[in-house]
Amino acid sequence: MSSWWRSAVVYQVYVRSFLDGDGDGVGDLAGLTAGLDAVARLGVDGLWLTPVYRSPQADHGYDVADHRDIDPLFGDLAAFDAVVTAAHDRGLRVVMDLVPNHVSDQHPWFVAARGGGPERALFHVRSQPNGWRSMFGGSAWSALPDGDWYLHLFAPEQPDLNWAHPTVQEDFAATLRFWLARGVDGFRVDVAGGLAKEPSYAEVRRGEDHPHWDRAEVHEIYRSWRRVLGPDVLAVAEAWGPPERTAAFARADELGQAFAFDILRTPWSAAALRRTVDAQLAAHRAVGALPAWVLGNHDIARAATRLGPERALALHLFLLALPGAFFLYAGDELGMPDADVPPERWQDPQSLRSGGRLPNRDGARIPLPWTSGRNLGFTTGDPWLPVPAEWSVYARDRQEADPSSTWSVLHRALSARPALWTTEDLTWEDARPGVLVGRRGGARVVLNASSRPWRLPDGAAVVVRSSPRADPTVVTPSECAWLTDGPVRFRG
């Protein structure tokens, strides 16, 4: 399958934190429309919106009460249509976050099921719970008023759907058609591997995955989706596990793409990074696909915090040079780190429900800084998470004016990428330990993960580098550079 999304760069917008258009302190669709020029200037191919569906917001939109409506917190369907139109006018595709594993406990189906209606068949309801655990801590089962128990792999407000029931399957097909008719170009699929549960509800032995992760039945679900989507609609799986297991979702007759999450767990080591890249490429090529590389999202600490700002930017350039797509988390183009959110301001249900035992994700969800003004230009009201005043150094207007900023480096890389990396092959060239040199066509990417500078080959020209002020004759430690022997035509 050859489609636009196979090598696209998609910008993940955490809508709550992008830009507030109405002054209530929460980012919304009006703010997103107002900020689309900035997204287009960066040079990405599309944007992925975190959930904006109607929701009580128990898990910031991942508890959906109506998959075919917009929550008033973010606007309405007209505001959504305005985003799609404005994005397409700027050459940007629009990707929605689809949440098929569970719904809100305020979804009409579950309201009826709680009352004892036949809708209980649309969920996993048992007379006794088993030992399955929630991803947010504690039991994965909660009691209904009559003493039966329902399954929720996440919060109690997020009951899991029974995907063996045809009504669930038919309803989600209708949801896909609804958003496609409004001009949506793709879907990120939340908890993609969790939909099909082990039918006997077998207990989990110590050290084993839940028996409902990545079952064979889930692949049949996605084959039915692809028949609705057609060949040119992006669908990317949020699925964790070894590459050969997650790449199965990227088969041409299923979703077509899957995140290469294990790069997030790979240490800063040339040998380790090469092993991860080789394993992902091999697993995806075996099914005719390419990986969707990712270095950050709303569920993990920001790359600049995990790796340090220099290595984070270098690794962004390295992954952007590899065959496949790349998903860029909004704020990473500004070099933002995590913020230290005091416990009394925590919003993350994962931390609140676990009493702080599970990591707090609020630090990676802080509203974006736009200017050096009040609340750094994000809102005229009280921001939903505190915006550090000292973060004016990361403000977009300041970054765009500085040719050595993180934004400027990534902008140059995104401008050069389409003309530079034109093939889907990757070969490694011999280099000393600690240095990776990958060739694609007539260009090379060099990542220096060693402690010594690496001298550029004779005749090599630097197209873009992660340390613009470094010695032009070498690639310095913790730096990545793109090299070519000929001129490169930049986009835009």
Side-chain angles (χ1 to χ4, degrees), residues 90-335:
R90 290 159 177 78
L92 298 168
R93 313 270 187 155
V94 177
V95 177
M96 292 199 77
D97 207 324
L98 195 64
V99 188
N101 179 72
H102 47 261
V103 293
S104 165
D105 64 349
Q106 296 183 33
H107 189 286
W109 286 351
F110 193 75
V111 171
R114 181 184 280 119
E119 289 81 0
R120 284 200 180 188
L122 307 179
F123 301 91
H124 294 273
V125 177
R126 305 183 74 216
S127 59
Q128 294 292 331
N130 65 9
W132 290 358
R133 307 293 290 173
S134 164
M135 301 296 290
F136 286 170
S139 174
W141 299 88
S142 288
L144 290 163
D146 62 0
D148 280 347
W149 298 76
Y150 69 93
L151 177 68
H152 54 87
L153 294 185
F154 295 88
E157 293 90 345
Q158 295 167 289
D160 281 37
L161 289 168
N162 175 15
W163 270 89
H165 200 290
T167 296
V168 174
Q169 299 171 23
E170 293 162 6
D171 189 75
F172 266 82
T175 292
L176 294 174
R177 294 187 183 97
F178 178 87
W179 294 110
L180 292 174
R182 301 194 92 90
V184 165
D185 304 286
F187 300 92
R188 177 262 191 186
V189 183
D190 186 61
V191 195
L195 276 58
K197 308 302 191 287
E198 205 284 321
S200 70
Y201 300 98
E203 295 289 355
V204 183
R205 290 182 291 187
R206 186 179 295 276
E208 288 185 347
D209 275 350
H210 274 286
H212 42 256
W213 290 132
D214 306 342
R215 293 179 56 81
E217 300 94 317
V218 82
H219 295 284
E220 281 302 320
I221 294 169
Y222 296 134
R223 290 187 186 99
S224 72
W225 285 19
R226 182 50 68 184
R227 291 191 289 271
V228 174
L229 298 175
D232 204 42
V233 173
L234 179 152
V236 58
E238 185 213 23
W240 292 82
E244 62 275 9
R245 195 169 86 188
T246 58
F249 293 92
R251 288 179 285 216
D253 62 344
E254 295 189 34
L255 295 179
Q257 195 172 69
F259 287 124
F261 280 131
D262 58 355
I263 201 76
L264 302 173
R265 299 166 171 165
T266 304
W268 180 258
S269 155
L273 288 166
R274 177 172 171 173
R275 285 193 298 270
T276 294
V277 169
D278 285 344
Q280 284 287 347
L281 287 173
H284 280 81
R285 283 176 171 147
V287 298
L290 290 174
W293 303 104
V294 59
L295 199 54
N297 60 42
H298 61 291
D299 282 332
I300 58 173
R302 283 197 178 270
T305 293
R306 301 192 324 267
L307 300 164
E310 287 185 338
R311 290 179 176 180
L313 182 53
L315 202 51
H316 273 90
L317 283 194
F318 177 69
L319 295 177
L320 282 165
L322 299 181
F326 185 81
F327 283 70
L328 174 64
Y329 182 39
D332 283 351
E333 82 278 17
L334 306 175

Side-chain angles (χ1 to χ4, degrees), residues 407-425:
W407 186 95
S408 293
V409 168
L410 288 175
H411 171 63
R412 285 194 294 274
L414 293 171
S415 298
R417 186 176 183 263
L420 191 66
W421 309 114
T422 57
T423 68
E424 292 187 348
D425 64 312

